[in-house]
Amino acid sequence: MEHVEQKVVLITGASSGIGAETARVLARHGAKVVLSARREDRLKELVGEIGENAAYLASDVTRREDMEALVSLAKERFGRVDVLFANAGIMPGGNMSEMKVANWMAMVDINVKGVLNAMAAVLPEFTAQKRGHILVTSSMAGTKSVPGNAVYCGTKHFVRAMLDSFRMESIQEGTHIRTTTIYPGAIRTELLNTIAPSETKAMVEEFYKNVGLEPEVIANATGRSEASKRTQALYEELKNTQLSETDQKYPDQLIAQMESEQDKINRSSYN
């Protein structure tokens, strides 16, 4: 993994799953990581594991001032900011007819506003230095529609459209800010913990147990994306696959159904 050494990387949602594993992978290759999440005990443990090339701030992506404080910490500790990995997200699934409006708003606050708050914090730095890299975790749910997850899908479609539009703006303005959108499928993280107990949750958990990938697969892909010259990572949708009844209910997880898909992620060159 070249061109990662000495890069200063901010990671939100860093206390577990993809965020935590990405911090480990990048730090092993010489990057300096500044970690954000609400669970301070998890962050403290992870920074203790990584060592002097890591710092953390217990912070909430829904608070813009927290993201600004994260940037300040990175500059104070490591002198600059090179990369933002906006990874924090939740997925409390359920049909909209269930009227769990508080869950809808929480997803908008974290999955949408959280990304915007993090970007707002780094953009002045990236624009001034005319370089930077913004990576955002979308989902395969951001590429299609999925029943039982309508609001979550909406937030992930937003991420996809917003970041691609921003990419075009950066090209027009000559700010040289690179972007990468990551589309994970079924990844075994604590994301499922945000789904309230239900028949739907039990079905999804069984699906993830059978075909889910480990977070380090995405972490390695994220690291290679920062090391590459391409601005956006795209995972191709599986085609001509025989679907089980469960798969038909959760088409956004097809990327994780076949072992060969993991090979595809590992082989991605992002050139």
Side-chain angles (χ1 to χ4, degrees), residues 50-107:
I50 292 172
E52 63 181 10
N53 283 338
Y56 78 87
L57 179 68
S59 47
D60 186 339
V61 294
T62 68
R63 295 168 53 88
R64 182 174 174 183
E65 57 268 33
D66 282 12
M67 296 299 95
E68 292 171 346
L70 189 70
V71 170
S72 295
L73 173 62
K75 293 174 65 177
E76 177 183 337
R77 179 71 182 272
F78 300 119
R80 65 183 190 279
V81 179
D82 298 306
V83 182
L84 166 67
F85 180 26
N87 171 69
I90 60 172
M91 186 182 71
N95 290 340
M96 294 191 72
S97 60
E98 297 172 23
M99 289 298 295
K100 296 179 179 178
V101 179
N103 287 346
W104 305 351
M105 300 308 166
M107 281 186 278

Side-chain angles (χ1 to χ4, degrees), residues 14-148:
S15 60
S16 64
I18 292 171
E21 196 57 39
T22 299
R24 294 185 179 98
V25 168
L26 293 177
R28 280 200 299 269
H29 289 86
K32 302 179 187 300
V33 294
V34 182
L35 311 179
S36 165
R38 290 177 291 191
R39 295 178 292 186
E40 184 170 9
D41 57 334
R42 296 279 194 94
L43 293 175
K44 185 175 182 180
E45 181 179 352
L46 182 56
V47 167
E49 173 190 333
I50 292 172
E52 63 181 10
N53 283 338
Y56 78 87
L57 179 68
S59 47
D60 186 339
V61 294
T62 68
R63 295 168 53 88
R64 182 174 174 183
E65 57 268 33
D66 282 12
M67 296 299 95
E68 292 171 346
L70 189 70
V71 170
S72 295
L73 173 62
K75 293 174 65 177
E76 177 183 337
R77 179 71 182 272
F78 300 119
R80 65 183 190 279
V81 179
D82 298 306
V83 182
L84 166 67
F85 180 26
N87 171 69
I90 60 172
M91 186 182 71
N95 290 340
M96 294 191 72
S97 60
E98 297 172 23
M99 289 298 295
K100 296 179 179 178
V101 179
N103 287 346
W104 305 351
M105 300 308 166
M107 281 186 278
V108 170
D109 286 344
I110 295 174
N111 300 359
V112 173
K113 294 181 181 179
V115 171
L116 295 177
N117 285 335
M119 287 181 63
V122 300
L123 277 178
E125 304 295 326
F126 289 178
T127 301
Q129 63 199 24
K130 288 195 176 297
R131 61 178 175 81
H133 191 172
I134 298 173
L135 303 94
V136 180
T137 301
S138 179
S139 168
M140 287 303 290
T143 67
K144 58 189 69 183
S145 301
V146 182

Side-chain angles (χ1 to χ4, degrees), residues 41 67 147 151 168 217 232 245 253 266:
D41 57 334
M67 296 299 95
V151 177
M168 297 175 187
V217 175
Q232 189 156 7
E245 181 180 355
Q253 307 304 343
N266 289 333

